């Protein structure tokens, strides 16, 4: 859980930077780059990402095969087929119309894959058989997509004080979301 949150926190620090989503508010406080400068924010995010894998590889108490499996699941969720890939699609899609399939792929990769990985990492620590693991994978993917869709809805229905981040940011940046592509009701 700590390793997953470290990856999540690093992604938020980097996501808020001017070269990405350029936000000044996170969890109701100034973003890291606003409070400490861009260089410190970049290094803090990098350090949190590395620390996530240190947490998963203690010197004792966890079998090396399990360490490797957990690292693989987490790395894949953060990489090109995960958060980084989803963010790349997000940045490349500003001002463009996406069909629902491409939008779903973008959302699946973003925080969605990280949530799915957290479910699968839990399964890897227990005696889950392949059928149960497949069901948990589907569950994690559904929760991950639901999280992203709800985030899209909240961006247009809540204010910054409630969200703890700048409301309306996606619409202002002309980013495709489930609300902009499908409308509020279907989202």
């Amino acid at each position: 859980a700590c390793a997953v949150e470290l990856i999540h926190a690093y992604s938020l620090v980097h996501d808020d930077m001017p070269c990405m989503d350029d936000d000044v508010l996170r969890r109701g406080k100034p973003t890291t780059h606003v409070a400490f400068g861009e260089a410190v924010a970049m290094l803090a995010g990098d350090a949190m990402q590395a620390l996530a894998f240190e947490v998963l590889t203690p010197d004792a108490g966890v079998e090396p095969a399990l360490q490797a499996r957990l690292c693989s699941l987490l790395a894949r969720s953060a990489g090109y087929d995960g958060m980084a890939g989803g963010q790349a699609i997000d940045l490349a899609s500003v001002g463009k119309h996406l069909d629902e399939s491409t939008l779903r792929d973008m959302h699946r990769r973003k925080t969605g894959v990280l949530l799915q990985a957290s479910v699968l990492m839990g399964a890897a620590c227990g005696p889950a058989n392949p059928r149960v693991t497949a069901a948990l994978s589907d569950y994690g993917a559904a929760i991950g997509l639901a999280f992203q869709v709800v985030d899209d809805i909240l961006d247009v229905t809540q204010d910054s004080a409630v969200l703890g981040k700048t409301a309306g940011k996606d619409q202002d940046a002309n980013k495709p979301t489930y609300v902009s592509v499908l409308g509020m009701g279907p989202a």
Side-chain angles (χ1 to χ4, degrees), residues 86-102:
Q87 188 65 24
I89 294 168
D90 190 32
L91 292 171
S93 300
V94 172
K96 296 180 181 174
H97 174 76
L98 294 184
D99 60 29
E100 185 181 355
S101 175
T102 305

Side-chain angles (χ1 to χ4, degrees), residues 108-123:
R108 175 193 67 80
R109 292 176 186 229
K110 290 176 75 177
T111 308
V113 172
L114 186 61
L115 291 170
Q116 182 184 34
S118 64
V119 171
L120 292 173
M121 290 168 74

Side-chain angles (χ1 to χ4, degrees), residues 20 41 44 51 63 65 69 72 130:
M20 300 286 267
L51 183 57
E63 291 297 318
R69 180 70 180 134
S72 174

Side-chain angles (χ1 to χ4, degrees), residues 32-127:
T32 306
H33 77 274
V34 169
F36 304 104
E38 289 182 36
V40 170
M42 182 65 69
L43 292 171
D46 292 347
M48 283 188 280
Q49 184 185 50
L51 183 57
F53 295 99
E54 288 180 43
V55 166
L56 292 178
T57 55
D59 291 334
V62 180
E63 291 297 318
L66 179 56
Q67 289 181 14
R69 180 70 180 134
L70 295 175
C71 285
S72 174
L73 287 165
L74 190 57
R76 290 173 196 278
S77 75
Y80 76 93
D81 197 34
M83 288 187 319
Q87 188 65 24
I89 294 168
D90 190 32
L91 292 171
S93 300
V94 172
K96 296 180 181 174
H97 174 76
L98 294 184
D99 60 29
E100 185 181 355
S101 175
T102 305
L103 180 65
R104 178 173 290 145
D105 182 50
M106 177 180 78
H107 275 27
R108 175 193 67 80
R109 292 176 186 229
K110 290 176 75 177
T111 308
V113 172
L114 186 61
L115 291 170
Q116 182 184 34
S118 64
V119 171
L120 292 173
M121 290 168 74
C125 292

